[in-house]
Amino acid sequence: MADVSVNFLHPTDGRQLNVTLDDRFTAQEAVAEQIAANFISPSSEGYGLAIKGGSIIGPDQSFENASVEDNTTIRILPATDAGKR
């Protein structure tokens, strides 16, 4: 268990929010925290996360498992119907 400091990039206006969180947080939990902090609005489609210039972080994947390091920028991506089962 460790804390990691990341920058969340807003999906539409480019604002950034620096957050320190437990690296055991999943992408889904991190999105919920961004909604609770009023950084992003709730969406019926939901959101995904991706490391800027890198890979997508799965909803149930922890930041530790995704190898997220301090000062990483995380893009918040509006979810679409593409790829849903």
Side-chain angles (χ1 to χ4, degrees):
M1 169 182 89
D3 285 344
V4 63
S5 178
V6 298
N7 296 301
F8 285 101
L9 185 62
H10 194 275
T12 57
D13 66 16
R15 286 182 295 141
Q16 289 194 35
L17 179 66
N18 180 269
V19 176
T20 299
L21 47 78
D22 187 316
D23 66 2
R24 293 178 298 177
F25 260 47
T26 65
Q28 193 170 6
E29 290 170 324
V31 166
E33 288 292 315
Q34 300 315 306
I35 292 170
N38 292 318
F39 184 63
I40 55 176
S41 300
S43 165
S44 59
E45 277 93 37
Y47 294 93
L49 298 181
I51 297 170
K52 187 174 180 182
S55 58
I56 292 198
I57 303 171
D60 297 321
Q61 187 176 21
S62 71
F63 279 62
E64 177 184 37
N65 186 268
S67 301
V68 173
E69 299 177 358
D70 270 341
N71 300 312
T72 296
T73 297
I74 305 290
R75 294 172 51 228
I76 301 173
L77 308 170
T80 64
D81 287 336
K84 284 195 178 175
R85 296 176 229 193

